[in-house]
Amino acid sequence: MALTAASSLQITSARPSIFSAGKMIGAAITSVGSESNGASHLKLSSGFHISPIQRFQRSFMSSPPKYDRVVIKAMSEAGDKQPSSGLSLNLKGKRAFIAGVADDNGYGWAIAKSLAAAGAEILVGTWVPALNIFETSLRRGKFDESRVLPDGSLMEITKVYPLDAVFDSPEDVPEDIKTNKRYAGSSNWTVKEVAECVKQDFGNIDILVHSLANGPEVTKPLLETSRNGYLAAISASSYSYVSLLKHFVPIMNPGGSSISLTYIASERIIPGYGGGMSSAKAALESDTRVLAFEAGRKHKIRVNTISAGPLRSRAAKAIGFIDMMIDYSLANAPLQKELSADEVGNTAAFLASPLASAITGAVIYVDNGLNAMGVGVDSPIFEKLDIPKDK
């Protein structure tokens, strides 16, 4: 079963070849996210100011203090000799590999744009059956409007690699996939081979993004999900992240950052999000904590996941109820606005930057606060309550 793209509500369709990205919802899907065409693209290169470093002293019993001041370094370029006047989200000189970009309509694409806006070099991994269409669309300028960065320039993708993260190495690929015409003309697309190619081409990377997932039976209730469908969802949506880190961590620079996309169905019941996808997202979040410990101790790599709200990506639309989930969020979230893919992209850029140097093993919610709600306030049961509403 091949990997497709994920994203939006992190939903993947029962069709094994749908792509989209990032955001979360996925399935054997290699997705790309954007919807970042208009909306708010945070200016990533400057912003918040802090007061000068203050000295402090604390004594515990008779022991002298070990440190007498706090030093905050915000810039990502270690060689910068000029003192910064504030906090700057600067990823110049950094290289990012984003797995799961197959169009300009998902969270993966939005993350790529935000990283590029902050100065990072962009490499992407695209699901093999979607590779030709994606590269052709890029070459013909179909994504040019979506590629516009805050400064007016176009996001550049240095290289696109064919990738099917369902397979770790060539030995894992079954014969029917090897002879499948959708894979004809492509080579070196298993996780191990892609990591080796990136090492050969560029030496190392600093940022790794997992924006793919797939659940071939996502439209089925869990009670009706087959063993094969359940395991396929886990393989494509969760273990694929373990595999990516396993093979890419050796070529990641110390201090690097890895980010994946999850969905609130990992911890709350979302009827309609079936096929084992809720289980896959729960596994992804659990793995994020363990991977943060292992990659942090052994390689000084931070590992976090973003739990994003619903997005109208192609993958999410295929599931059939994305509009309903967006309407529900608008009615019930603390912030009554439609989520922008850019907001997820900007969060990823922050997590990849030195500004998040102490954040790892975390699930970061970017969903207008919907995760904090215990009830749906649009229910008729609450109609007599004086509930604040956006005017």
Side-chain angles (χ1 to χ4, degrees), residues 1-2 164 167 173-183 189:
M1 188 192 78
D164 193 328
F167 305 108
V173 183
E175 195 61 33
D176 63 324
I177 294 295
K178 291 179 181 179
T179 58
N180 191 309
K181 63 180 181 180
R182 294 185 300 173
Y183 287 74
W189 44 259

Side-chain angles (χ1 to χ4, degrees), residues 171-244:
E171 296 74 31
D172 300 324
V173 183
E175 195 61 33
D176 63 324
I177 294 295
K178 291 179 181 179
T179 58
N180 191 309
K181 63 180 181 180
R182 294 185 300 173
Y183 287 74
S186 294
S187 59
N188 300 321
W189 44 259
T190 64
V191 177
K192 179 181 179 180
E193 291 173 302
V194 173
E196 290 173 346
C197 288
V198 171
K199 180 179 180 180
Q200 181 177 350
D201 294 340
F202 299 96
N204 51 54
I205 64 171
D206 303 278
I207 303 162
L208 176 66
V209 179
H210 176 276
S211 178
L212 47 85
N214 183 52
E217 298 180 21
V218 67
T219 57
K220 292 184 179 181
L222 187 57
L223 277 175
E224 298 175 15
T225 299
S226 70
R227 182 182 296 271
N228 286 339
Y230 184 95
L231 294 177
I234 295 289
S235 173
S237 310
S238 345
Y239 185 77
S240 57
Y241 189 37
V242 177
S243 181
L244 277 171

Side-chain angles (χ1 to χ4, degrees), residues 44 48 58 76 140 144 165 172 187 197 209 234 241 253 258 261 267 285 302 310 314 332-333 347 349 355:
L44 296 172
F48 312 91
R58 297 179 63 185
S76 61
R140 293 180 178 176
D144 282 1
D172 300 324
S187 59
C197 288
V209 179
I234 295 289
Y241 189 37
N253 290 319
S258 181
L261 288 157
E267 53 186 287
E285 293 179 17
R302 294 181 293 110
R314 291 183 179 89
N332 295 285
T347 301
L355 297 181

Side-chain angles (χ1 to χ4, degrees), residues 336 388-391:
Q336 290 187 277
K389 294 183 179 179
D390 188 19
K391 297 179 181 180

Side-chain angles (χ1 to χ4, degrees), residues 78-316:
D80 244 331
K81 295 182 179 180
Q82 295 296 326
S84 173
S85 60
L87 297 179
S88 178
L89 205 167
N90 186 348
L91 296 176
K92 289 182 179 179
K94 305 300 181 182
R95 182 177 297 115
F97 181 86
I98 304 162
V101 176
D103 58 27
D104 65 342
N105 185 241
Y107 286 129
W109 179 270
I111 290 172
K113 283 187 66 177
S114 290
L115 293 175
E121 180 180 13
I122 305 299
L123 313 176
V124 304
T126 299
W127 188 51
V128 184
L131 181 66
N132 184 54
I133 294 176
F134 179 66
E135 289 189 316
T136 300
S137 296
L138 260 180
R139 187 170 58 251
R140 293 180 178 176
K142 291 186 177 181
F143 298 150
D144 282 1
E145 184 178 353
S146 299
R147 290 170 59 204
V148 178
L149 299 176
D151 64 359
S153 64
L154 296 183
M155 173 181 68
E156 295 294 336
I157 297 177
T158 301
K159 188 164 183 176
V160 179
Y161 292 87
L163 170 67
D164 193 328
V166 165
F167 305 108
D168 300 323
S169 65
E171 296 74 31
D172 300 324
V173 183
E175 195 61 33
D176 63 324
I177 294 295
K178 291 179 181 179
T179 58
N180 191 309
K181 63 180 181 180
R182 294 185 300 173
Y183 287 74
S186 294
S187 59
N188 300 321
W189 44 259
T190 64
V191 177
K192 179 181 179 180
E193 291 173 302
V194 173
E196 290 173 346
C197 288
V198 171
K199 180 179 180 180
Q200 181 177 350
D201 294 340
F202 299 96
N204 51 54
I205 64 171
D206 303 278
I207 303 162
L208 176 66
V209 179
H210 176 276
S211 178
L212 47 85
N214 183 52
E217 298 180 21
V218 67
T219 57
K220 292 184 179 181
L222 187 57
L223 277 175
E224 298 175 15
T225 299
S226 70
R227 182 182 296 271
N228 286 339
Y230 184 95
L231 294 177
I234 295 289
S235 173
S237 310
S238 345
Y239 185 77
S240 57
Y241 189 37
V242 177
S243 181
L244 277 171
L245 270 172
K246 174 182 178 180
H247 291 94
F248 274 87
V249 156
I251 65 169
M252 292 184 71
N253 290 319
S257 174
S258 181
I259 303 160
S260 66
L261 288 157
T262 185
Y263 183 49
I264 193 65
S266 63
E267 53 186 287
R268 300 284 187 272
I269 300 168
I270 306 294
Y273 192 70
M277 281 304 302
S278 58
S279 306
K281 291 303 178 183
L284 180 67
E285 293 179 17
S286 178
D287 292 344
T288 293
R289 292 183 282 272
V290 178
L291 292 169
F293 177 79
E294 295 180 357
R297 289 296 184 96
K298 295 180 180 179
H299 305 281
K300 300 186 185 304
I301 301 298
R302 294 181 293 110
V303 182
N304 295 291
T305 188
I306 297 173
S307 184
L311 174 71
R312 285 190 178 90
S313 70
R314 291 183 179 89

Side-chain angles (χ1 to χ4, degrees), residues 99 184 215 229 385:
L385 286 181

